[in-house]
Amino acid sequence: MPDIIPDPGQMTALLGDSLYEVWNQLCALIESAYDMDRLWGKGGKAWTYEYKYRRGGKTLCALYAKENCVGFMIILGKEERLKFEKDREHYKDEVQRIYDETKTYHDGKWMMFEPKDTCLFDDFIRLLGIKRKPNRKTMPIC
């Protein structure tokens, strides 16, 4: 599927400069904490590209790109939802709202965020930590 992998120019043209920077910072943040396989794919009907972080056949999260929009999806299964609900007051209001508004399916809550900046990144990393402990040594984020 090499034709699916966009180059930086294509991504900048699709997302715009500021959102491409958000995309790059989110990828860098995930990659600083997790050593994962990274897979490009078609974004289905709603998105142009999908970029999944997987290991051992399990998806940690996925990023999506379409014109002027970045998507960050994380799926919380039953046990993971219980962990989130126990600690939900420590998450930003927007994360709690998206959690509450996301339909629960038999295989979990498919939470989709559309970050415009980095303000939810700390919460994203905490959500990822519910799914899987980081497997890289990271420097604390100040």
Side-chain angles (χ1 to χ4, degrees):
M1 291 187 166
D3 59 325
I4 291 178
I5 301 173
D7 63 38
Q10 291 169 306
M11 288 296 285
T12 302
L14 181 68
L15 297 172
D17 289 334
S18 67
L19 283 178
Y20 185 49
E21 183 60 27
V22 170
W23 173 282
N24 283 327
Q25 288 183 34
L26 184 52
C27 289
L29 183 64
I30 295 166
E31 290 162 21
S32 74
Y34 294 93
D35 179 17
M36 303 294 248
D37 296 325
R38 300 184 296 264
L39 307 167
W40 282 99
K42 292 188 165 129
K45 292 179 186 169
W47 299 89
T48 307
Y49 298 110
E50 173 186 67
Y51 190 57
K52 277 188 184 175
Y53 287 89
R54 289 177 62 92
R55 184 153 191 166
K58 288 190 165 192
T59 299
L60 175 70
C61 64
L63 275 65
Y64 293 88
K66 64 182 177 185
E67 192 172 350
N68 299 314
C69 190
V70 169
F72 172 75
M73 179 179 280
I74 183 164
I75 301 167
L76 297 182
K78 188 173 186 177
E79 295 300 315
E80 296 155 347
R81 290 195 317 273
L82 293 174
K83 288 180 188 175
F84 174 83
E85 288 167 11
K86 207 167 132 181
D87 196 36
R88 70 175 288 143
E89 71 276 2
H90 296 107
Y91 288 84
K92 289 194 170 77
D93 290 345
E94 185 178 349
V95 173
Q96 293 182 45
R97 179 183 59 76
I98 288 173
Y99 178 87
D100 292 340
E101 291 174 359
T102 299
K103 183 174 162 93
T104 302
Y105 295 97
H106 72 283
D107 58 349
K109 259 190 192 285
W110 294 49
M111 297 170 60
M112 176 65 84
F113 298 89
E114 293 183 4
K116 307 270 186 270
D117 53 38
T118 61
C119 74
L120 295 178
F121 282 16
D122 287 346
D123 282 5
F124 290 172
I125 282 293
R126 290 178 54 221
L127 287 169
L128 292 173
I130 289 175
K131 284 193 70 71
R132 182 182 191 121
K133 296 277 180 257
N135 58 5
R136 284 188 196 238
K137 298 273 186 236
T138 57
M139 298 297 291
I141 300 170
C142 300

